[in-house]
Amino acid sequence: MDKQRILIVDDDENIAELISLYLIKECFATEIAYNGRDALALVESFDPHLILLDIMLPDIDGYEICTEVRKTRQTPIIMLSAKGEVFDKVLGLKIGADDYMIKPFDSNELVARVKAVLRRTAILPNPMTVAQKTDHQGDFVEYDGLLVNITNYLVLFEEHQIEMPPKELELLYFLASKPNQVFTRDQLLDRVWGYDYIGDSRTVDVHVKRLREKLNDDHNWSIATVWGKGYKFEVR
């Protein structure tokens, strides 16, 4: 069985090599990039299953790299930073990161988070062209102007395909498959991210905000906030 490939992007050689040793010990294959340009090149040539991405890099910062990767790939990304402010964490999640770790971190926690993110994305199929996808094949929900297919990881909105990171799509599908049912943030973290997710409820808020930006509410449905409770997929 082929080893899962992890791309480590960090300009601190000591930290990058130490992370690599931890992951190799856990039977992962690793490559290291010490700057943004090399990172983007390795995304293409190494084709990683997951990217550990430092924010502060000498040429292109981690936010820009994450944005570039998300234009063409849904590769899971865990951002690494010495910054601990809420703004930095939310910004990383908003542009498409799957998780965020603050330096310094424990090696066991890093490995646990890598494995948890890989488990959450293991059900994803290999990339397919739009022509290969069948919107009504497999498990899907359909409403006025919206179709969400969890089998093919396909979202059609007003007959146009909408690109979404895996967690956005899974959150949308989960809510839409249970119309008018209210879920707390903690319930959504448990049902969509998994009980072993290491994070906080702001993750849900960020993903809901991104969904609302992509899907206007000029239909008989919407992702509604239930103040003091959580969210629901409201069908009117």
Side-chain angles (χ1 to χ4, degrees):
M1 181 172 160
D2 293 336
K3 293 181 178 180
Q4 290 180 297
R5 299 178 298 278
I6 311 294
L7 174 59
I8 303 160
V9 185
D10 199 312
D11 62 335
D12 188 317
E13 294 187 19
N14 292 328
I15 290 177
E17 290 173 6
L18 193 59
I19 292 173
S20 179
L21 287 174
Y22 293 146
L23 294 173
I24 289 172
K25 184 179 178 182
E26 296 292 327
C27 296
F28 292 104
T30 67
E31 285 283 354
I32 298 174
Y34 300 110
N35 59 66
R37 296 186 189 281
D38 288 348
L40 290 174
L42 279 169
V43 168
E44 298 300 322
S45 61
F46 185 52
D47 190 22
H49 292 94
L50 182 143
I51 302 170
L52 290 170
L53 178 60
D54 188 29
I55 292 177
M56 302 302 291
L57 296 168
D59 52 354
I60 307 172
D61 68 33
Y63 296 129
E64 187 174 346
I65 293 172
C66 183
T67 301
E68 284 299 310
V69 170
R70 281 290 171 263
K71 289 179 180 178
T72 58
R73 294 170 178 261
Q74 301 303 330
T75 308
I77 296 173
I78 299 177
M79 302 199 85
L80 310 175
S81 177
K83 297 182 177 182
E85 292 80 2
V86 170
F87 172 80
D88 298 297
K89 182 173 183 178
V90 171
L91 178 58
L93 294 171
K94 184 175 181 180
I95 62 176
D98 295 87
D99 204 350
Y100 189 106
M101 291 194 69
I102 299 169
K103 297 178 180 177
F105 42 74
D106 178 76
S107 61
N108 292 323
E109 181 184 359
L110 174 66
V111 171
R113 291 206 188 198
V114 166
K115 290 181 177 180
V117 171
L118 286 171
R119 278 197 302 273
R120 295 201 306 269
T121 57
I123 61 173
L124 294 179
N126 292 327
M128 303 165 66
T129 64
V130 175
Q132 290 174 307
K133 295 176 180 176
T134 305
D135 53 5
H136 287 79
Q137 187 176 73
D139 296 325
F140 64 90
V141 291
E142 188 171 15
Y143 293 92
D144 176 31
L146 176 69
L147 183 142
V148 186
N149 190 316
I150 194 67
T151 300
N152 293 328
Y153 273 70
L154 173 70
V155 176
L156 295 179
F157 178 61
E158 297 180 342
E159 299 183 356
H160 296 286
Q161 183 184 357
I162 305 297
E163 294 297 330
M164 288 186 182
K167 285 299 141 194
E168 279 184 39
L169 190 150
E170 290 167 16
L171 176 60
L172 176 61
Y173 177 83
F174 178 79
L175 288 170
S177 65
K178 297 170 177 59
N180 297 320
Q181 186 171 341
V182 180
F183 293 94
T184 67
R185 291 167 178 82
D186 287 340
Q187 286 175 325
L188 291 171
L189 282 175
D190 182 53
R191 304 287 183 87
V192 179
W193 278 261
Y195 71 91
D196 57 354
Y197 176 68
I198 307 171
D200 58 49
S201 61
R202 282 189 293 265
T203 299
V204 175
D205 298 334
V206 169
H207 281 70
V208 168
K209 182 176 184 294
R210 293 203 306 240
L211 285 172
R212 287 172 171 165
E213 290 170 350
K214 294 174 182 177
L215 308 170
N216 65 54
D217 57 2
D218 297 332
H219 296 271
N220 63 355
W221 52 264
S222 65
I223 301 174
T225 300
V226 181
W227 298 108
K229 294 291 184 179
Y231 297 103
K232 67 177 179 178
F233 189 87
E234 184 175 64
V235 179
R236 296 179 285 276

